[in-house]
């Protein structure tokens, strides 16, 4: 992509992220893959609502600076995604409040509650906690990047990516909107999941329409648990403890420790 246009786009999307409170202060970061070996990224310690086109940093695909501007310390997350996904040309990382609330509560956004989200975004897994700006974070994300277009990072925030920056931003927006609807529906007494049959049809539609291909059918996808569809890929990450603990059928699986903790909580309630 042409660099001057990419600079303009990053500032525009940064402004939008800030206006929508997906980031505050100097949170978050955005990047665009300019060509095979160059990445344009937001600078370190800069508010996304006050960026100028000349403040952005250019690095190579390993993060080596190619200008005198320093890229965000979280650039490694973006570089991991570019390496794992040759199709991805842009990445948005932010701390949108509803999506991040899921990440803080230890929950994936993987309940089949909205038909269009199944079609366009797919489920959003929760990756284990890793210290920001270290390879703990990128190691935790790595198994999920191939099969999803957005991830939640435990006790941190969200990242979304796509063919271009607008698609990455749209995915981040869908993630946040879905999380907000999920929280609101819980306040109204709980959400009703789509039926396994409806989920299967949506997954088939999204594949034939080319929204998301078979690679999105990884077993970390909470939607699949209810259907007869299976994951075509070998290197499937295991769904994490939180996202697999409850799903659409109302079935709940708990580890021994979780069960003991639950029973002792109930006993304490009875005592009080
Ligand atoms: Zn962050």
């Amino acid at each position: 992509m042409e660099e001057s246009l990419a600079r303009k786009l990053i500032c525009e999307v940064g402004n939008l992220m800030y206006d929508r409170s997906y980031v505050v202060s100097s949170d978050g970061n955005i990047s665009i893959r300019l060509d095979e070996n160059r990445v344009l990224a937001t600078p370190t310690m800069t508010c996304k609502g006050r960026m100028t086109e000349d403040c952005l940093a250019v690095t190579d695909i390993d993060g080596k600076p190619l200008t005198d501007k320093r890229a965000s310390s979280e650039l490694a997350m973006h570089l991991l995604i570019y390496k794992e996904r040759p199709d991805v040309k842009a990445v948005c990382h932010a701390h949108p409040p509803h999506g991040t609330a899921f990440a803080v509560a230890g929950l994936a956004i993987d309940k089949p509650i909205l038909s269009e989200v199944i079609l366009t975004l797919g489920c959003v897994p929760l990756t284990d906690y890793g210290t920001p700006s270290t390879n703990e974070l990128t190691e935790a994300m790595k198994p999920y990047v191939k099969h999803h277009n957005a991830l939640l990072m435990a006790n941190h925030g969200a990242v979304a990516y796509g063919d271009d920056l607008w698609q990455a931003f749209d995915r981040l927006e869908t993630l946040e909107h879905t999380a907000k609807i999920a929280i609101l529906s819980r306040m109204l007494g709980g959400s009703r999941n789509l039926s396994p049959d409806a989920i299967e049809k949506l997954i088939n539609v999204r594949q034939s329409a080319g929204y998301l291909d078979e690679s999105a059918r990884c077993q970390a996808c909470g939607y699949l648990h209810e259907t007869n569809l299976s994951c075509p890929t070998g290197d499937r990450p295991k769904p994490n403890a939180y996202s697999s603990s409850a799903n659409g059928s109302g079935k709940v699986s708990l580890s021994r420790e979780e069960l003991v903790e639950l029973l002792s909580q109930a006993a304490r309630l009875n005592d009080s």
Side-chain angles (χ1 to χ4, degrees):
M1 175 180 224
E2 215 233 303
E3 189 176 328
S4 60
L5 181 62
R7 286 179 181 269
K8 206 174 273 167
L9 258 176
I10 287 185
C11 291
E12 194 177 340
V13 168
N15 268 312
L16 256 178
M17 286 199 339
Y18 185 73
D19 283 349
R20 300 193 154 231
S21 299
Y22 293 179
V23 287
V24 296
S25 182
S26 60
D27 290 354
N29 28 78
I30 305 167
S31 71
I32 289 179
R33 196 202 302 249
L34 292 171
D35 53 45
E36 237 162 72
N37 195 42
R38 287 187 316 141
V39 172
L40 180 69
T42 49
T44 185
M45 298 304 288
T46 306
C47 173
K48 303 301 155 301
R50 297 195 294 271
M51 290 189 300
T52 51
E53 288 172 33
D54 59 348
C55 76
L56 305 179
V58 184
T59 76
D60 72 9
I61 199 72
D62 295 311
K64 199 174 115 234
L66 298 177
T67 63
D68 60 348
K69 302 284 189 298
R70 236 179 90 207
S72 156
S73 60
E74 290 189 296
L75 184 70
M77 176 200 304
H78 299 236
L79 301 178
L80 166 81
I81 294 167
Y82 291 134
K83 286 179 183 171
E84 291 286 305
R85 289 279 299 269
D87 58 309
V88 167
K89 300 288 186 290
V91 178
C92 280
H93 161 58
H95 308 155
H98 299 88
T100 304
F102 268 72
V104 167
L107 298 168
I109 304 175
D110 64 353
K111 299 290 174 278
I113 55 171
L114 291 163
S115 52
E116 292 201 9
V117 175
I118 296 179
L119 283 180
T120 58
L121 182 67
C123 78
V124 181
L126 174 72
T127 70
D128 289 339
Y129 178 74
T131 308
S133 319
T134 71
N135 54 10
E136 262 177 38
L137 181 76
T138 44
E139 284 303 307
M141 290 169 58
K142 200 171 174 182
Y144 297 91
V145 172
K146 263 193 199 142
H147 308 290
H148 302 275
N149 291 310
L151 309 173
L152 288 177
M153 291 164 276
N155 300 87
H156 182 169
V159 62
Y161 33 98
D163 289 345
D164 58 42
L165 188 52
W166 285 119
Q167 188 178 54
F169 176 77
D170 289 345
R171 286 175 170 164
L172 184 71
E173 196 174 37
T174 300
L175 176 158
E176 172 62 358
H177 199 234
T178 308
K180 189 174 179 180
I181 291 169
I183 291 168
L184 290 172
S185 62
R186 282 174 202 191
M187 289 163 72
L188 294 174
S191 51
R192 292 181 188 194
N193 290 342
L194 286 159
S195 70
D197 183 49
I199 300 165
E200 206 168 310
K201 281 183 194 157
L202 287 164
I203 289 177
N204 290 331
V205 169
R206 82 181 182 189
Q207 274 171 214
S208 51
Y211 297 135
L212 290 174
D213 65 17
E214 276 205 2
S215 67
R217 277 190 194 182
C218 116
Q219 293 301 318
C221 171
Y223 305 155
L224 284 189
H225 300 154
E226 295 300 303
T227 67
N228 294 317
L229 298 170
S230 63
C231 171
T233 56
D235 55 341
R236 52 181 85 152
K238 281 206 170 64
N240 58 44
Y242 297 115
S243 60
S244 64
S245 63
N247 54 44
S249 65
K251 268 183 270 161
V252 175
S253 56
L254 296 171
S255 70
R256 193 174 178 279
E257 291 76 42
E258 287 168 332
L259 186 63
V260 170
E261 169 63 12
L262 210 64
L263 290 172
S264 39
Q265 272 178 18
R268 282 199 295 276
L269 276 176
N270 272 340
D271 289 346
S272 60

